[in-house]
Amino acid sequence: MSKTEPQLEQIQYRFPNGFWWGSAASATQTEGAAAEGGKGKNIWDHWYEKEPNRFFDGVGPEKTSRFYETYREDIQLMKELGHHSFRFSISWARLFPDGKGRLNKEGAAFYNRVIDELLAAGIEPFVNLYHFDMPLALQQIGGWENRQVVDHFASYAETCFRLYGDRVKKWFTHNEPIVPAEGGYLYDFHYPNIVDFQKAVQVAYHEILSNAKAVEAYRRLGGDGKIGIILNLTPSYPRSQHPADVRASEIADAFFNRSFLDPAVKGEFPQLLTDILKEEGYLPVMEEGDLELIKNHTVDLLGINYYQPRRVKAKEHLPHPDAPFMPERFFDHYEMPGRKMNRHRGWEIYEKGIYDILINVKENYGNIECFISENGMGVEGEERFRGEDGMIRDDYRISFIKEHLKWVHRAIQEGANVKGYHLWTFMDNWSWTNAYKNRYGFVSVNLDKNGERTIKKSGYWFKKVAENNGF
């Protein structure tokens, strides 16, 4: 004990007992084995075949970080790095190659092994059901545009609860559900590359409905854990306190945060957003009983992904009358002078944003139990920080995490119901069209050496934080 005592005395930021220290990853970004083990194609496999030039350095999802093969070794590394919990996603197409119908027993057995391995290592599995990876067979009938897919998702979720619910007690329906809507149907950074505001609204609505149906299924089956959703919350800060700037920030917030946060946690859509959609003629197609279903099946637990703020100002130029309708019809983006940047990713670093989100959730969302489900820093060319001892000295990542954790700690002291912190991500992974351009992991993955793993300095630092429950 004597070795750790001096360290403990120096801890300035101590977290509540049982705080969830860990990291997060997703199936498509880490598993590889895209055509192995009976897995069906998803939209990423398809898009890469169709347009490989869209992906950085032409690297596609078939390789990624090989977690499908190396999960045992990787879980041992998680244990070594002091993980108490780990969030991963199930690949819908690995479980149901066509998104529905026949269950792929090989895929089901794989996730059984992963869950058992995590539990044997003393790591609690947090399981997410949808992380941007629509089975191709379902995308061919419209994906989230098609209401049938909502029911297919609910039965996929129910299968997962039945298969793994005896051991998994933290479930999540969606990760960042706004991304398939904005990426696939507004801004052309995800498949199916459609630019159509009406379809984007319908996709978002169906995702919200699918969340409620999965929550309903979990409770109907007598699930004895917690079921939640993971949202990327980006606080919308106005350029100034001028009423026009403030209004612009409120509208941006309604589009990008409250659109999912309000129905998932409160069971109702924000009035401001509903009014805009009604006025502009873009309300989604709904069926009788939908709103009641959403109202009665809110989440128990909220995962919060935070990377950067959104800064906006009042609209300065009206869009061309023939331009596609976009949320930016109501605000312009604003670059704050002197902002701190992660120049590799082109994102602003604003640590206080994490505190502002947590206080908002505390004050306006019933102080729902929540945790930081993603936060992290993507850096290009990390190899240049590798020392002679073979370790990548990513002090910038340690500093990034530390400064965010200080604000999380402050929110906890002020009564926010925050239960944990998960870094994005455990090991360097394939990041959609960015592939391996920016590295985020505690553990380096060397693609030229058969995916060789080495722990970065931040990984060892995090181990101490988890052991001491603070820093």
Side-chain angles (χ1 to χ4, degrees):
M1 264 311 275
S2 59
K3 273 186 186 174
T4 55
E5 274 161 16
Q7 268 185 317
L8 292 175
E9 282 168 13
Q10 291 161 18
I11 289 179
Q12 239 181 310
Y13 299 92
R14 187 176 299 289
F15 287 79
N17 288 339
F19 200 70
W20 307 331
W21 297 106
S23 61
S26 88
T28 297
Q29 291 178 272
T30 55
E31 284 178 7
E36 294 167 39
K39 179 183 161 290
K41 272 187 188 174
N42 67 30
I43 54 176
W44 295 94
D45 305 316
H46 174 68
W47 193 21
Y48 177 68
E49 276 177 19
K50 222 175 104 177
E51 291 187 87
N53 55 300
R54 283 266 202 162
F55 297 81
F56 184 77
D57 273 354
V59 177
E62 81 288 358
K63 296 235 173 24
T64 71
S65 303
R66 300 178 47 237
F67 184 72
Y68 189 77
E69 299 160 49
T70 60
Y71 67 93
R72 285 193 175 90
E73 299 92 301
D74 290 332
I75 289 167
Q76 282 312 304
L77 276 178
M78 288 172 205
K79 184 180 182 178
E80 194 184 326
L81 299 191
H83 277 46
H84 299 170
S85 48
F86 174 63
R87 192 247 304 184
F88 64 97
S89 73
I90 288 175
S91 161
W92 187 350
R94 195 176 289 289
L95 226 49
F96 290 97
D98 299 319
K100 58 183 174 33
R102 177 183 65 83
L103 174 73
N104 171 27
K105 291 196 168 132
E106 221 177 315
F110 167 67
Y111 294 112
N112 257 324
R113 293 195 299 273
V114 169
I115 290 163
D116 289 343
E117 198 75 25
L118 283 165
L119 290 169
I123 299 167
E124 186 178 2
F126 286 35
V127 177
N128 175 44
L129 296 171
Y130 188 77
H131 199 124
F132 313 161
D133 51 355
M134 179 64 65
L136 182 60
L138 295 185
Q139 187 63 50
Q140 286 165 342
I141 60 164
W144 290 117
E145 295 170 59
N146 186 335
R147 193 178 167 108
Q148 287 174 24
V149 170
V150 175
D151 292 322
H152 295 319
F153 177 77
S155 46
Y156 153 62
E158 191 164 324
T159 302
C160 292
F161 303 148
R162 289 180 190 277
L163 286 170
Y164 313 118
D166 58 328
R167 287 151 293 154
V168 174
K169 303 302 173 189
K170 304 280 193 312
W171 289 97
F172 301 92
T173 56
H174 288 262
N175 173 79
E176 302 187 348
I178 190 135
V179 172
E182 61 174 357
Y185 293 87
L186 288 180
Y187 305 118
D188 183 40
F189 61 87
H190 277 200
Y191 196 77
N193 322 107
I194 291 169
V195 176
D196 185 321
F197 188 80
Q198 184 65 71
K199 285 183 175 180
V201 169
Q202 196 65 48
V203 161
Y205 177 71
H206 282 156
E207 287 184 286
I208 289 158
L209 194 60
S210 74
N211 170 70
K213 287 201 173 195
V215 170
E216 187 275 325
Y218 187 67
R219 300 210 174 115
R220 177 168 38 80
L221 291 173
D224 58 351
K226 289 187 169 160
I227 185 161
I229 193 166
I230 291 162
L231 302 179
N232 49 322
L233 299 178
T234 39
S236 297
Y237 296 108
R239 166 182 57 182
S240 73
Q241 287 307 301
H242 186 284
D245 283 344
V246 171
R247 178 71 177 167
S249 76
E250 286 168 353
I251 292 175
D253 189 48
F255 271 111
F256 294 103
N257 294 318
R258 296 183 59 200
S259 50
F260 286 92
L261 184 57
D262 284 36
V265 177
K266 293 179 173 179
E268 55 199 31
F269 291 91
Q271 196 59 50
L272 174 57
L273 184 63
T274 307
D275 290 347
I276 290 171
L277 296 181
K278 200 172 185 176
E279 201 175 306
E280 302 288 345
Y282 285 111
L283 282 171
V285 176
M286 301 189 261
E287 288 184 11
E288 202 182 335
D290 283 1
L291 294 180
E292 198 182 346
L293 183 84
I294 291 166
K295 182 81 189 156
N296 294 332
H297 298 97
T298 53
V299 296
D300 309 312
L301 179 59
L302 176 65
I304 295 166
N305 293 356
Y306 174 68
Y307 291 96
Q308 59 173 336
R310 176 179 279 104
R311 298 194 186 273
V312 297
K313 59 186 178 182
K315 195 82 195 152
E316 284 171 8
H317 304 287
L318 288 175
H320 189 280
D322 298 331
F325 188 92
M326 289 282 173
E328 282 78 0
R329 194 158 285 225
F330 302 97
F331 59 86
D332 283 337
H333 293 280
Y334 166 67
E335 284 194 8
M336 185 179 75
R339 61 192 185 143
K340 180 158 70 165
M341 290 293 291
N342 170 4
R343 56 191 174 76
H344 302 279
R345 196 66 182 82
W347 285 354
E348 181 184 345
I349 297 173
Y350 184 65
E351 298 91 343
K352 183 178 177 280
I354 210 164
Y355 165 86
D356 291 338
I357 293 167
L358 293 170
I359 296 302
N360 177 39
V361 167
K362 174 189 169 229
E363 290 176 354
N364 300 309
Y365 294 87
N367 207 11
I368 184 171
E369 186 173 62
C370 66
F371 74 114
I372 302 304
S373 41
E374 284 180 31
N375 174 232
M377 186 181 192
V379 171
E380 205 175 338
E382 279 198 327
E383 281 303 313
R384 70 187 185 279
F385 302 114
R386 198 183 285 276
E388 285 178 13
D389 57 357
M391 191 201 295
I392 289 175
R393 302 192 176 279
D394 54 342
D395 294 274
Y396 44 85
R397 182 167 290 110
I398 293 170
S399 166
F400 180 95
I401 299 169
K402 200 183 267 187
E403 294 309 311
H404 281 84
L405 280 174
K406 285 177 185 176
W407 283 106
V408 173
H409 186 265
R410 179 166 165 182
I412 291 170
Q413 287 187 309
E414 292 178 24
N417 195 7
V418 195
K419 299 295 188 189
Y421 177 92
H422 281 187
L423 184 85
W424 184 269
T425 177
F426 167 66
M427 59 184 165
D428 293 338
N429 66 17
W430 184 83
S431 203
W432 316 112
T433 54
N434 262 331
Y436 281 90
K437 182 180 177 185
N438 297 292
R439 304 301 185 102
Y440 285 86
F442 281 136
V443 173
S444 158
V445 173
N446 189 331
L447 297 177
D448 300 326
K449 291 190 181 172
N450 206 22
E452 179 190 67
R453 273 63 163 151
T454 52
I455 299 170
K456 300 176 194 176
K457 188 177 176 182
S458 61
Y460 290 112
W461 175 80
F462 189 77
K463 173 188 170 77
K464 277 193 182 146
V465 173
E467 282 170 357
N468 294 331
N469 203 27
F471 60 93

